[in-house]
Amino acid sequence: MNVVRSLLLAGSESRWLRERATKLRFVRGAVTRFMPGETLEAALDATRTLGVGTVLTQLGENVTDLEQARAVARHYQDVLERIRQSGLDVEISVKLTQLGLDLSREECEKNLSTLVERARALSRWIWIDIESTAYTDRTLDIYRQMLAAYPRVGVCIQAYLYRTAEDLKTLLPLGGGLRLVKGAYREPPDRAFPKKSDVDENYFKLADRLLSPEVRAKSVRAIFGTHDPALIARIEERGRSLGLPPEALEFQMLYGIRRQEQERLAKAGHTVRVLISYGEAWFPWYMRRLAERPANVLFVARNLFAR
Ligand SMILES: Cc1cc2nc3c(=O)[nH]c(=O)nc-3n(C[C@H](O)[C@H](O)[C@H](O)COP(=O)(O)OP(=O)(O)OC[C@H]3O[C@@H](n4cnc5c(N)ncnc54)[C@H](O)[C@@H]3O)c2cc1C
């Protein structure tokens, strides 16, 4: 793994650094590039101006008491209600460790079930983020459970993991939603491809499976969560060669990253959604964004000198 990426990912797990960095004005300023604001209102306002559908996620992970986890579930209930009232094309994506997975799997499932029930009442999709490999088995198990109760549940899968090709064998026949991403956590070389070129190649192999006619017949909602222009071009080309209409390809990107490409894809007729994160607990998430593109560190530094 690239040294800078490694250091940034290690930093994302450091409490010492989090406590200090989040107080610095120039860091807070730099964060706004990836986040329209800390509140739900800011995320909804951004949805109105983007002109494409969005997925909202409240930042936060690894909560340390169950009351916090219940508060997160209540927050997402409010979000679902606000989405209903606004009539905006918005979905939500949740992290299981934010719903209490570290503390009690049972409570986490209970919290998630309340959200799945509400999403079902509103006929909305609900997504489950995927975190580090410490949680992969439990996340996929819980996904399967929720999907049995309501078919519009989706989970994220990571192309950097060797296991994902195998996981797909059991996930694909279930239908539901699968959002393919490269993977954002620090993983050892016996679990994840250390070389970026191998991750990229595996991404395309997995994408190809998601596009196959057999999988499409199972009505899996496949999402390509990437900003990578080479991969996007290959997926578009594959879609064309399979005779798929442009809207059958759904791409998702993160707020603030490659906005012109988001517009180009939407103009080409593809389905495009932007994932908007909001909330106060942005530190580990922001460090993962820096690790994805260490050149972003220069952007933070420029913010320091701009003040
Ligand atoms: C919708 C969505 C949901 C996600 N959900 C999860 C999840 O649940 N679990 C998880 O582990 N990961 C998740 N991720 C993050 C993902 O794993 C990658 O870390 C991230 O998308 C960067 O990979 P990439 O495919 O864009 O390719 P890369 O090869 O990293 O980037 C390709 C190009 O995109 C641009 N780019 C990428 N990242 C940045 C950045 N941070 N800043 C500026 N430019 C950038 C650059 O131009 C870069 O050259 C999600 C990503 C998306 C888009």
Side-chain angles (χ1 to χ4, degrees):
M1 201 185 334
N2 165 308
V3 180
V4 182
R5 176 167 189 263
S6 217
L7 283 173
L8 288 164
L9 288 180
S12 76
E13 295 161 15
S14 160
R15 207 170 134 183
W16 182 89
L17 194 60
R18 183 186 68 213
E19 280 164 7
R20 279 150 190 85
T22 51
K23 294 196 179 85
L24 299 172
R25 254 184 73 195
F26 76 94
V27 176
R28 298 180 73 87
V31 171
T32 59
R33 177 183 168 191
F34 297 115
M35 192 171 85
E38 291 188 352
T39 61
L40 169 63
E41 268 334 297
L44 291 171
D45 283 348
T47 299
R48 287 186 190 92
T49 54
L50 279 171
V52 291
T54 60
V55 181
L56 300 193
T57 191
Q58 189 200 26
L59 293 168
E61 49 207 83
N62 303 101
V63 298
T64 48
D65 80 70
L66 284 173
E67 191 36 51
Q68 255 178 304
R70 286 184 207 113
V72 171
R74 285 195 296 274
H75 171 79
Y76 277 119
Q77 292 278 3
D78 291 345
V79 177
L80 287 167
E81 182 51 25
R82 287 299 313 280
I83 295 171
R84 185 191 69 75
Q85 287 167 1
S86 69
L88 292 166
D89 181 10
V90 180
E91 296 172 356
I92 61 168
S93 196
V94 301
K95 278 193 171 45
L96 295 186
T97 66
Q98 200 185 10
L99 292 174
L101 186 58
D102 283 328
L103 306 164
S104 154
R105 176 165 167 170
E106 203 187 331
E107 288 291 321
C108 170
E109 286 173 10
K110 226 192 266 173
N111 286 332
L112 182 60
S113 289
T114 63
L115 298 176
V116 169
E117 277 312 308
R118 191 71 193 127
R120 180 220 288 273
L122 301 173
S123 298
R124 296 270 168 179
W125 276 84
I126 175 163
W127 292 91
I128 303 172
D129 282 5
I130 197 135
E131 301 174 66
S132 75
T133 45
Y135 305 102
T136 312
D137 282 328
R138 283 174 287 171
T139 303
L140 296 183
D141 271 4
I142 294 173
Y143 163 67
R144 289 185 184 96
Q145 235 170 279
M146 298 295 148
L147 189 60
Y150 178 50
R152 289 187 173 187
V153 182
V155 72
C156 190
I157 50 170
Q158 295 157 322
Y160 64 9
L161 296 184
Y162 303 121
R163 62 173 285 171
T164 301
E166 208 49 36
D167 287 333
L168 271 192
K169 286 187 189 158
T170 57
L171 292 173
L172 287 173
L174 304 177
L178 293 171
R179 177 176 78 206
L180 179 62
V181 301
K182 287 189 188 175
Y185 294 81
R186 189 160 59 129
E187 297 294 352
D190 61 333
R191 291 187 204 160
F193 293 99
K195 270 174 63 191
K196 183 173 164 9
S197 55
D198 291 336
V199 176
D200 294 354
E201 207 38 51
N202 197 43
Y203 190 108
F204 184 68
K205 270 195 209 149
L206 298 169
D208 202 29
R209 275 174 74 187
L210 289 171
L211 288 171
S212 72
E214 302 77 65
V215 172
R216 295 186 54 74
K218 303 253 180 258
S219 310
V220 174
R221 180 172 165 202
I223 289 178
F224 305 108
T226 182
H227 316 89
D228 186 329
L231 273 174
I232 292 172
R234 288 177 81 186
I235 292 167
E236 284 187 284
E237 180 46 43
R238 190 80 185 109
R240 275 191 294 272
S241 72
L242 289 165
L244 298 178
E247 66 276 14
L249 293 188
E250 179 163 357
F251 294 97
Q252 293 191 358
M253 296 193 193
L254 303 180
Y255 178 87
I257 302 182
R258 305 208 65 226
R259 178 79 190 112
Q260 282 180 349
E261 179 68 355
Q262 295 168 16
E263 283 168 7
R264 183 193 71 78
L265 289 167
K267 276 202 191 110
H270 300 307
T271 307
V272 176
R273 271 181 195 276
V274 174
L275 190 144
I276 302 179
S277 301
Y278 63 93
E280 291 167 15
W282 43 261
F283 179 74
W285 161 85
Y286 181 59
M287 291 295 277
R288 291 196 292 272
R289 300 293 80 79
L290 295 184
E292 281 155 7
R293 193 159 177 261
N296 286 343
V297 177
L298 291 177
F299 181 81
V300 184
R302 272 206 298 275
N303 245 38
L304 169 64
F305 295 113
R307 276 149 209 278

